[in-house]
Amino acid sequence: MTFLEYIMLALLGISIALFFISIFLKDPYKEIREEIDQISIQQIQELYQIKQKLKVLEEELLVADDSFQPPFSVNSTPPPIEKREVHEIIKNQVVLLTQQGLSVDQIARQSSLSTQEVKAIQTEMKYRGQGYE
């Protein structure tokens, strides 16, 4: 045998040895992939649960809104408007809608407030220095 044949056999032996070693080596990224998959599944499940809870809350709010609206006859006078505390989030919504150029009636419909309450909030915010014009 010649020197070249020895080199070829040695290279063939090394390649076979490396092939068998690669089969038995553990994939270093396998655990990371499994963890990412597990986290993704958990996030999807949590998002689904949150959506279900939100759906239930929205349904409860719709039912609650319907039950709080007293039936008025056309000839009856509206009940006197009592002074109620309006939440800051609603006040901020009124300011944002005013900045968008909506009318007082449109804002009242969207925020479930009376026109008097909308005007009072606009005046209050104007005096607080949160101008919307």
Side-chain angles (χ1 to χ4, degrees):
M1 282 190 162
T2 66
F3 181 70
L4 191 58
E5 290 175 349
Y6 286 122
I7 293 176
M8 291 296 282
L9 284 175
L11 288 176
L12 181 64
I14 292 173
S15 65
I16 291 172
L18 288 175
F19 177 73
F20 283 116
I21 290 173
S22 70
I23 289 175
F24 296 112
L25 280 180
K26 188 176 179 182
D27 184 13
Y29 300 110
K30 184 177 180 180
E31 290 179 23
I32 295 173
R33 280 191 221 113
E34 289 175 359
E35 286 181 28
I36 290 174
D37 289 343
Q38 189 65 28
I39 291 172
S40 297
I41 290 171
Q42 286 176 349
Q43 285 181 334
I44 290 170
Q45 289 173 343
E46 289 173 1
L47 184 62
Y48 177 76
Q49 290 174 351
I50 290 171
K51 285 183 179 182
Q52 291 300 319
K53 289 178 182 179
L54 184 61
K55 185 177 179 181
V56 169
L57 286 173
E58 286 175 345
E59 290 173 359
E60 287 178 4
L61 285 174
L62 288 176
V63 170
D65 285 346
D66 292 341
S67 65
F68 285 133
Q69 294 178 357
F72 291 114
S73 66
V74 176
N75 297 334
S76 69
T77 59
I81 298 174
E82 56 187 56
K83 184 71 174 170
R84 63 179 177 159
E85 185 64 31
V86 179
H87 199 274
E88 283 296 318
I89 294 174
I90 302 295
K91 290 180 181 180
N92 290 334
Q93 179 187 14
V94 169
V95 171
L96 290 174
L97 293 173
T98 303
Q99 289 173 345
Q100 293 175 5
L102 273 68
S103 69
V104 173
D105 292 330
Q106 291 171 326
I107 295 171
R109 272 185 264 130
Q110 286 190 15
S111 60
S112 301
L113 298 172
S114 67
T115 54
Q116 292 85 4
E117 289 173 319
V118 171
K119 289 177 184 178
I121 291 171
Q122 288 175 338
T123 305
E124 176 187 343
M125 292 300 171
K126 190 174 184 180
Y127 286 120
R128 279 190 185 178
Q130 297 178 355
Y132 44 80
E133 299 171 310

